[in-house]
Amino acid sequence: MVTIRVQISQAGHGACSSSPPSSSVLTARPSSETVRRRVPRLSVVLVSCSRMFSHAGGGSLTWCFLVLLLPLLGSALSHKSEGALTVVEDADGGGGGGVGGDEEEDAVEVFQPNEQWQTLKPGQAVPAGSHVRLNLQTGEREVRLGEEQLKYWTQEHREGEKSTAAIDPDELKRAMKKIKEDLRSQDSKPSGFRPLEELKKDMAELDLLVETDVQIMRRLLDQFNSSDTTTEQRLAILQELEYLVHQVDNAQTLCSMGGLSLILGGLNSSDVRLQENAAFVLGSAVASNPVVQVQAVEGGALQTLLTTLATTQPLHVKKKVLFALACLLRHFPYAQHHFLSHGGLQILSELFRADAGGILRTRIVTMLYDMISEKELIFQAGLDAVQDPSHKERQRQYAEVSLQDQLMEKGWCRLVPQLLQSTEHDYREKALRALLAMASVCLDQYRSDSSLLGSLHSLRLQYSELIQSEMILGEESGYFAEMVELIDSLQVKVK
């Protein structure tokens, strides 16, 4: 089979170099009559070139084709007939210009070639840059993608073009018009929130009930006090109340409803699960809520918490009770004074000695450190009486709390250093901070405590080595450096 291959360039002429795909396409519409007229002339050329090749070298054949075939091809391409080749703008190109053929441009059917040779039908156009050849035996035109086209015209690209071309412009216009109408209709609607009563009315029609937090708490209290409520249901009610009382207003409302007595009743329950959850609710309710703190102390919550700690209870219950006690005493000197007068330090010291794991010890030491720090801060300069008229009254109340003196009397100067024996860095940090806070009344006992001095020396060496290790690894050593600073500060005070 003898074929002639022509590279279709952007301008629509034959070219030896390929070009990247563009928006122009080439229309090849030769008729069968044109093919029949060209084939005999090409046959003569081939016969002549064959005779020359038999008498000369291989180079003569090449020159023969160049001399005889190129004029013939030029005549064929420039011939104004039904089989003329025409460059037109693709539908995606957006342009309307180009060299026109015998038909209108919008009626041109663009043939999408691939990597294989395919036969072109009359009237079909091909993208610029495609390889087109004429089969001299069959008279059909064949086309495939050019080398540059293979880099860009992938199968996914062609499928994307097909899906894009399948969109009807009129349908797209109608969709855009509908979007604009919907936006205008939304803008015309009145904005703002609907009244709660209106929402309740709509919900009632849907058999739905909208409850406020106050209504929910009232319903929960009634269910808790009901004799038909099981223990599991009471536990679920306490969990819901704990979530609600984190809001200051809800905690105060719960107390006004009588919920405080319900919580204290849970603390006195024989079921340890009810005790644990009731203590959790109480701690969340009194945290940073002075109104509830006062009502809790007046309602006997402090005595109930101390009694619970003094009795034999599981560890998880004591943890929640310590949480509630710490929240009740924080920033409340009146409650701290009653805590000391009711033997609170003695109860905590017994609890400290009985805790071998260190979990309760850390919580107790942290609570004592917070109480000492509060008193020191309230007597430091910085708060103007004009800005805080109750500042002097708070100083008077904190002056009645003799916490540090009682810490020394109850043996806490010897108890807190025991926490340094723990392997947890957090436990050691809490102990060091508490020892520094108690140094004003415990220095003499610190100096005579050989165990404390040995612990400080060994910890100093340990954290110095950790700092050096982190420096070698290029890591930050801020926490260990802070631990060394605490140890150094305590050693300076002791010396």
Side-chain angles (χ1 to χ4, degrees):
M1 180 180 66
V2 180
T3 60
I4 298 176
R5 187 174 64 186
V6 180
Q7 170 76 30
I8 304 301
S9 65
Q10 180 68 24
H13 301 289
C16 296
S17 62
S18 60
S19 60
S22 64
S23 59
S24 300
V25 296
L26 185 71
T27 305
R29 296 192 297 273
S31 63
S32 57
E33 295 292 336
T34 303
V35 174
R36 285 194 294 272
R37 287 197 300 268
R38 298 292 179 255
V39 170
R41 294 177 61 184
L42 291 175
S43 301
V44 173
V45 171
L46 294 175
V47 171
S48 301
C49 290
S50 299
R51 292 174 179 176
M52 291 178 63
F53 180 72
S54 63
H55 295 88
S60 300
L61 180 62
T62 303
W63 285 105
C64 174
F65 276 108
L66 290 175
V67 172
L68 298 178
L69 286 181
L70 288 180
L72 179 60
L73 289 175
S75 175
L77 292 174
S78 60
H79 184 68
K80 300 291 185 177
S81 66
E82 187 181 9
L85 298 177
T86 306
V87 175
V88 297
E89 294 295 332
D90 193 3
D92 295 336
V99 182
D102 297 333
E103 299 179 8
E104 295 298 328
E105 293 178 1
D106 53 1
V108 174
E109 179 185 357
V110 180
F111 181 81
Q112 296 294 346
N114 55 25
E115 295 81 0
Q116 305 297 328
W117 288 104
Q118 294 177 292
T119 302
L120 276 174
K121 296 180 181 179
Q124 287 184 330
V126 296
S130 303
H131 286 179
V132 180
R133 72 182 183 183
L134 178 64
N135 192 326
L136 299 180
Q137 292 184 352
T138 62
E140 295 178 344
R141 287 142 309 281
E142 298 175 350
V143 63
R144 74 173 184 182
L145 290 175
E147 295 180 358
E148 291 296 327
Q149 284 178 321
L150 291 175
K151 300 179 181 178
Y152 306 103
W153 290 69
T154 61
Q155 183 66 26
E156 292 78 10
H157 179 71
R158 293 194 295 271
E159 291 177 356
E161 286 188 342
K162 290 179 182 179
S163 61
T164 305
I167 299 177
D168 187 4
D170 295 335
E171 183 179 354
L172 182 61
K173 290 180 181 179
R174 288 193 297 270
M176 294 298 295
K177 182 178 180 181
K178 186 176 185 302
I179 292 175
K180 293 180 180 180
E181 292 177 353
D182 293 341
L183 291 176
R184 283 195 294 267
S185 63
Q186 291 179 3
D187 294 339
S188 61
K189 292 181 179 180
S191 60
F193 296 100
R194 299 174 61 188
L196 181 60
E197 298 300 329
E198 183 178 349
L199 290 175
K200 288 182 178 180
K201 182 179 179 181
D202 293 344
M203 294 299 178
E205 294 176 356
L206 298 174
D207 293 332
L208 297 178
L209 179 62
V210 178
E211 290 181 305
T212 62
D213 288 350
V214 176
Q215 293 173 336
I216 293 174
M217 289 190 293
R218 170 59 64 187
R219 174 174 56 80
L220 293 176
L221 291 179
D222 293 340
Q223 292 178 359
F224 192 90
N225 291 324
S226 175
S227 59
D228 298 332
T229 305
T230 62
T231 302
E232 299 297 333
Q233 291 174 339
R234 286 190 171 91
L235 291 174
I237 290 172
L238 289 175
Q239 291 174 1
E240 291 191 44
L241 289 176
E242 192 278 329
Y243 172 78
L244 292 170
V245 296
H246 280 282
Q247 296 187 18
V248 175
D249 295 340
N250 286 344
Q252 296 176 4
T253 303
L254 181 65
C255 291
S256 64
M257 291 179 177
L260 185 60
S261 60
L262 178 146
I263 297 173
L264 295 180
L267 281 172
N268 292 322
S269 174
S270 58
D271 193 321
V272 293
R273 296 176 300 170
L274 289 176
Q275 289 180 343
E276 179 184 6
N277 284 272
F280 196 22
V281 176
L282 179 61
S284 301
V286 299
S288 303
N289 199 331
V291 175
V292 182
Q293 284 179 316
V294 172
Q295 295 186 26
V297 172
E298 294 176 349
L302 181 60
Q303 293 87 340
T304 304
L305 292 173
L306 292 177
T307 302
T308 306
L309 287 175
T311 57
T312 304
Q313 298 291 345
L315 178 62
H316 58 87
V317 175
K318 291 183 179 180
K319 287 169 59 176
K320 287 296 189 292
V321 174
L322 275 176
F323 163 73
L325 181 62
C327 293
L328 182 62
L329 298 180
R330 187 169 299 148
H331 301 296
F332 194 10
Y334 177 78
Q336 294 177 14
H337 176 71
H338 281 271
F339 167 76
L340 297 176
S341 61
H342 285 77
L345 284 180
Q346 182 63 32
I347 296 174
L348 292 183
S349 63
E350 295 175 359
L351 193 62
F352 187 94
R353 292 185 179 93
D355 180 45
I359 297 177
L360 298 181
R361 288 185 174 187
T362 307
R363 294 172 183 263
I364 293 171
V365 170
T366 303
M367 182 174 64
L368 296 178
Y369 170 75
D370 291 340
M371 293 170 64
I372 296 173
S373 301
E374 288 175 15
K375 185 175 181 179
E376 291 178 351
L377 290 174
I378 202 67
F379 285 99
Q380 291 178 358
L383 285 177
D384 191 357
V386 177
Q387 298 178 355
D388 188 5
S390 62
H391 182 62
K392 289 186 177 181
E393 176 61 25
R394 292 173 64 84
Q395 285 183 336
R396 185 191 65 80
Q397 293 182 12
Y398 272 105
E400 297 178 357
V401 180
S402 56
L403 176 61
Q404 291 179 313
D405 294 336
Q406 293 201 31
L407 286 173
M408 183 183 63
E409 294 175 1
K410 302 297 183 182
W412 284 96
C413 297
R414 301 284 184 179
L415 289 176
V416 176
Q418 297 178 14
L419 194 58
L420 293 176
Q421 306 299 326
S422 174
T423 58
E424 297 290 335
H425 298 302
D426 182 59
Y427 293 0
R428 296 172 179 175
E429 179 190 356
K430 298 296 192 300
L432 289 171
R433 294 187 182 278
L435 289 172
L436 284 171
M438 297 188 302
S440 59
V441 295
C442 295
L443 274 180
D444 294 336
Q445 299 189 42
Y446 290 169
R447 294 188 180 102
S448 61
D449 191 347
S450 59
S451 176
L452 172 61
L453 298 178
S455 297
L456 292 177
H457 179 70
S458 61
L459 290 176
R460 178 69 167 77
L461 295 176
Q462 178 183 352
Y463 285 114
S464 298
E465 293 176 358
L466 290 174
I467 292 174
Q468 294 297 328
S469 300
E470 290 188 339
M471 291 178 62
I472 294 174
L473 296 175
E475 299 178 356
E476 296 183 358
S477 58
Y479 179 75
F480 295 141
E482 184 179 355
M483 294 290 288
V484 171
E485 291 177 0
L486 292 174
I487 296 172
D488 291 342
S489 300
L490 187 57
Q491 286 179 335
V492 169
K493 287 182 178 293
V494 171
K495 294 179 181 179

